[in-house]
Amino acid sequence: MRDGKQEFHNKEEAPQTVTGAANVPNSAWKRFLAKKWVFPATYVAAAAIILTLMWVYQDAVKKPVATNTPVNSVQSDKPAGETANKDNAVPVGAKAESMQWPVKDRSQVTISLPSYDSKGSNEAKQAAMIEYGDTITPHVGVDLVRADKQAFDVSAALSGKVTAVDKNPVVGNLVEITHDNGLVTVYQSLGEVKVAKGATVKQGDVIAQAGRNELEKDQGVHLHFEVRKAEDGTAELPEQLLPEFKPQ
């Protein structure tokens, strides 16, 4: 009987032992969740995972657009005229300036010495030579004088920026203006100069008074006017650029 009771007692305790073993992990998990730092740490980790997935998704969406969209296809929401004015550029459709005579009153001056044209007649070439000392050289540019030999206003033939103001012992006071069309106008044999280097001038603005120089002393008070290419300094014929060029 004692052995039978002992066997029965062990059978009753066996389920309790098994049940107790099964409850150990559950109790440990509950104790783990009961800690204060568990939920904040879990939230932070979840948020980090979500943000990472969002970044990966956005990067995957953006890459095809950046690869397939040409740079030149980006359009501005501003009118063309507004953008051009902001950059100080000439608005689309704006009329380019035509060169004007470098004097305030064309009727008051005459051409005393034309420019040398290599394609001109021998007579025209001889008339466009200047002598200085023992040297005879082709005359680059044109000389303008008044009939009464008096000084007159010299004006900018085109709008631009004054890139040089100098006093030369041979050609006299000079002013150089660089223009947006790739040309440079040069004004020599000046008297009083009224602009400074770096100044911006408009077409027709008075920049100086006509004066004298040593190179063309026999011309008296006059203006020596040249047109050159800004790129390489090659001289252009003013006769081909000035309007209604008619030597008087």
Side-chain angles (χ1 to χ4, degrees):
M1 290 296 292
R2 183 175 299 176
D3 294 337
K5 290 182 180 181
Q6 182 66 34
E7 182 180 355
F8 178 77
H9 180 72
N10 291 337
K11 290 182 179 180
E12 287 184 345
E13 290 180 352
Q16 292 178 3
T17 302
V18 174
T19 302
N23 289 337
V24 170
N26 189 35
S27 300
W29 179 250
K30 287 183 178 180
R31 287 195 301 271
F32 175 75
L33 295 179
K35 297 181 181 295
K36 294 182 180 181
W37 55 268
V38 172
F39 285 104
T42 303
Y43 175 78
V44 172
I49 294 173
I50 293 173
L51 289 175
T52 302
L53 292 175
M54 290 178 64
W55 288 336
V56 172
Y57 174 76
Q58 290 179 355
D59 185 61
V61 172
K62 289 180 179 179
K63 282 184 178 179
V65 176
T67 301
N68 298 329
T69 303
V71 175
N72 293 335
S73 67
V74 179
Q75 297 181 358
S76 172
D77 57 353
K78 295 183 179 181
E82 182 178 346
T83 303
N85 290 335
K86 182 177 180 180
D87 296 335
N88 295 324
V90 178
V92 176
K95 186 177 179 180
E97 285 184 339
S98 298
M99 186 173 292
Q100 292 183 358
W101 285 83
V103 293
K104 296 299 291 183
D105 190 348
R106 167 71 177 91
S107 64
Q108 291 185 353
V109 297
T110 59
I111 299 169
S112 60
L113 190 60
S115 58
Y116 182 88
D117 185 358
S118 60
K119 298 179 181 180
S121 64
N122 290 332
E123 183 180 358
K125 291 179 182 179
Q126 292 177 4
M129 301 294 289
I130 57 174
E131 182 178 355
Y132 182 68
D134 297 330
T135 304
I136 298 178
T137 59
H139 184 248
V140 179
V142 294
D143 288 356
L144 304 176
V145 300
R146 274 180 54 147
D148 58 7
K149 305 299 182 180
Q150 297 299 310
F152 53 89
D153 288 335
V154 176
S155 57
L158 290 167
S159 299
K161 183 176 182 179
V162 178
T163 48
V165 175
D166 195 12
K167 185 174 183 178
N168 186 284
V170 178
V171 301
N173 292 334
L174 68 88
V175 171
E176 175 187 277
I177 303 176
T178 301
H179 312 284
D180 292 336
N181 60 0
L183 295 177
V184 175
T185 52
V186 182
Y187 312 76
Q188 296 178 359
S189 187
L190 302 176
E192 179 186 2
V193 176
K194 299 184 178 181
V195 293
K197 183 178 179 180
T200 299
V201 296
K202 295 181 180 180
Q203 186 179 58
D205 285 351
V206 176
I207 61 174
Q209 287 279 309
R212 301 174 182 270
N213 67 12
E214 186 65 26
L215 180 63
E216 300 165 326
K217 186 184 298 185
D218 59 332
Q219 295 290 324
V221 176
H222 71 285
L223 165 66
H224 175 84
F225 176 68
E226 297 179 10
V227 181
R228 296 181 176 274
K229 290 183 179 180
E231 183 179 3
D232 56 11
T234 302
E236 297 285 327
L237 295 174
E239 291 90 334
Q240 296 180 355
L241 300 172
L242 292 170
E244 301 177 0
F245 190 92
K246 298 178 181 179
Q248 299 178 359

